[in-house]
Amino acid sequence: MRQSKIAKKIGAALMVLVGIIIILFIALFVWLIINSPGKPQPFVDAQGNIIANSIAEKGYIDVNGGKLGFFIKGRDINNPVLLYLHGGMPDYFLTQQYPTGLDSIFTVVWWEQRGAGMSCKAGGKDRKVTIDDLVSDTKAMTDYLRSRFAQDKIYLMAHSGGTYLGVKVIARYPELYTAYIGVAQITYQKLSEKLAYDYILEQYAQDSGKQKYYEIFKSHPVVITEPVPIEYTRIRDLAMHDLGIGTMHNMKNVVTGLFIPSLLFKEYSLADKINLWKGKAGSGISIMWNEMMQHDLAQENTTFAIPVYILHGTFDYTCSYQLSKQYFDKISAPAKGFYSFSNSAHSPIFEEPGECIKVIKENILNR
């Protein structure tokens, strides 16, 4: 009899717990809907009026059988157009917390590439997205922008894994671009992962609180002559953020640094937010990961017909700062420049936006 009463109490408590969980889930869903209007924020003056000649647009174009999504933001549509190529995942949502200031000197096009974010469904189910697909898409986006804004050439900025694509694009279609700006320029990513692995292992060997992760890394070494172990890739981001060598020097983990900010981003609809992480889950570290593991840009693309500029954070091990500098030294271009950011890791345009804008104004736009 007593056991029956205890069972009833436990059952009642479980029902209350389930009810609370359901209520919290509904509240979270409602909160997400409220915080996901999915409309680009316009540029307004002190009185709240939209600034003349500014642009704040969210749209899609049909390219090679898929809808490619993008945001266009700029305070003056007469400014030069800049097409931004993201890395492993679209990162425009970070501009809500970390304004870049790029929209004050460019009309910036934050394009979300095939298979990612707003363009997630353009990836296709029957085949993988290839580098040739992305090069072709980039040219189509470029031609669309050149026509729409009546500019013969535009600027191309790429970040992280997007810099691999960017280099391939300017090598093939230099006539379309005024200059190329690589942020955290990739070189030979397999060697970069080796350098990151060595650094992580060294740091964790000295930290008694990280012995669990030290043993995992030690058991799955990154070796140039072998495929990068999946066990390493599963926890590399955790370690990189922990050590300040990941997305940003002061960003300590993916959840608070990326996931939550993406949920808070008002210019995304709820569907956009779901597709952002759906695309990321489907592509892993990068949709071009296998391609980048097999190629060394320093052996393939060093001569360019347009100016090339590189912005790189000194703490960056996601795409090695050291290898980027070595690659830059091999580059031959009409003009070139390498700019280091001592308070940044992988994302100086978000970490030190003022310094980046200063560099771009003084050394790139004025040439």
Side-chain angles (χ1 to χ4, degrees):
M1 189 75 173
R2 184 175 178 179
Q3 288 182 339
S4 177
K5 288 183 178 180
I6 292 174
K8 286 182 178 179
K9 288 182 178 180
I10 293 174
L14 288 174
M15 289 295 291
V16 171
L17 180 60
V18 170
I20 291 173
I21 292 173
I22 291 173
I23 290 171
L24 289 174
F25 180 81
I26 293 172
L28 176 62
F29 183 76
V30 172
W31 177 85
L32 278 172
I33 291 293
I34 293 172
N35 284 277
S36 306
K39 297 180 179 179
Q41 297 294 307
F43 295 98
V44 296
D45 59 23
Q47 288 71 45
N49 299 313
I50 295 178
I51 296 174
N53 290 328
S54 66
I55 183 170
E57 180 181 304
K58 177 182 179 182
Y60 296 84
I61 63 169
D62 292 312
V63 177
N64 299 326
K67 284 187 174 297
L68 304 183
F70 57 85
F71 289 88
I72 302 180
K73 301 295 288 285
R75 293 180 176 274
D76 186 347
I77 57 173
N78 295 310
N79 281 336
V81 173
L82 179 143
L83 175 60
Y84 179 83
L85 306 179
H86 63 77
M89 67 182 292
D91 51 10
Y92 171 57
F93 67 88
L94 286 173
T95 61
Q96 182 169 284
Q97 186 174 351
Y98 305 98
T100 65
L102 290 169
D103 49 40
S104 66
I105 56 176
F106 293 107
T107 295
V108 189
V109 183
W110 300 88
W111 166 44
E112 308 207 343
Q113 297 159 29
R114 186 178 299 269
M118 290 165 58
S119 308
C120 180
K121 294 181 181 179
K125 297 180 180 179
D126 300 327
R127 65 178 180 83
K128 292 183 179 179
V129 177
T130 68
I131 183 65
D132 287 336
D133 292 328
L134 295 176
V135 169
S136 177
D137 288 347
T138 306
K139 182 180 184 299
M141 282 295 304
T142 299
D143 287 339
Y144 165 75
L145 296 171
R146 291 169 60 230
S147 175
R148 176 171 175 180
F149 292 97
Q151 295 189 13
D152 186 47
K153 297 181 179 182
I154 68 172
Y155 286 83
L156 188 67
M157 174 181 281
H159 176 230
S160 185
T163 63
Y164 181 84
L165 170 61
V167 164
K168 296 302 180 181
V169 169
I170 63 169
R172 192 176 301 183
Y173 302 111
E175 71 278 4
L176 304 181
Y177 303 100
T178 304
Y180 168 74
I181 307 169
V183 181
Q185 179 64 49
I186 219 165
T187 50
Y188 181 21
Q189 192 56 25
K190 196 169 190 180
L191 180 54
S192 179
E193 297 298 336
K194 168 64 175 169
L195 295 175
Y197 170 83
D198 291 344
Y199 179 82
I200 293 169
L201 201 67
E202 178 185 1
Q203 296 301 309
Y204 278 7
Q206 303 170 27
D207 189 339
S208 59
K210 304 294 182 182
Q211 289 306 299
K212 172 185 173 183
Y213 292 109
Y214 171 76
E215 293 299 332
I216 295 174
F217 280 111
K218 188 176 180 181
S219 299
H220 303 285
V222 177
V223 181
I224 290 296
T225 55
E226 301 290 337
V228 175
I230 191 170
E231 293 84 0
Y232 161 79
T233 61
R234 284 172 178 164
I235 59 172
R236 80 190 265 280
D237 283 353
L238 183 151
M240 285 181 172
H241 285 90
D242 177 48
L243 295 170
I245 60 174
T247 307
M248 299 187 198
H249 185 49
N250 294 319
M251 183 183 289
K252 292 306 179 183
N253 62 75
V254 172
V255 174
T256 58
L258 296 174
F259 183 68
I260 292 177
S262 74
L263 296 184
L264 294 172
F265 187 52
K266 294 184 179 297
E267 296 188 35
Y268 272 156
S269 67
L270 182 56
D272 294 334
K273 293 173 182 179
I274 291 171
N275 285 331
L276 177 71
W277 290 101
K278 180 181 177 183
K280 179 60 176 173
S283 64
I285 295 175
S286 170
I287 203 167
M288 293 180 285
W289 179 255
N290 291 331
E291 167 91 11
M292 294 186 299
M293 287 297 107
Q294 299 170 21
H295 294 268
D296 180 359
L297 293 180
Q299 303 300 320
E300 298 177 0
N301 300 102
T302 57
T303 301
F304 302 99
I306 65 172
V308 173
Y309 305 97
I310 296 176
L311 316 182
H312 216 126
T314 58
F315 289 100
D316 190 10
Y317 272 85
T318 304
C319 292
S320 170
Y321 171 79
Q322 173 188 336
L323 293 182
S324 183
K325 286 194 74 174
Q326 292 174 5
Y327 177 46
F328 172 79
D329 290 339
K330 294 183 177 181
I331 289 175
S332 173
K336 68 176 188 174
F338 188 98
Y339 306 95
S340 301
F341 296 85
S342 59
N343 294 313
S344 296
H346 193 51
S347 308
I349 60 169
F350 298 119
E351 298 175 84
E352 297 182 70
E355 290 302 310
C356 286
I357 293 299
K358 181 179 179 181
V359 164
I360 293 171
K361 279 184 174 180
E362 294 178 358
N363 301 283
I364 300 176
L365 289 179
N366 284 339
R367 284 191 181 273

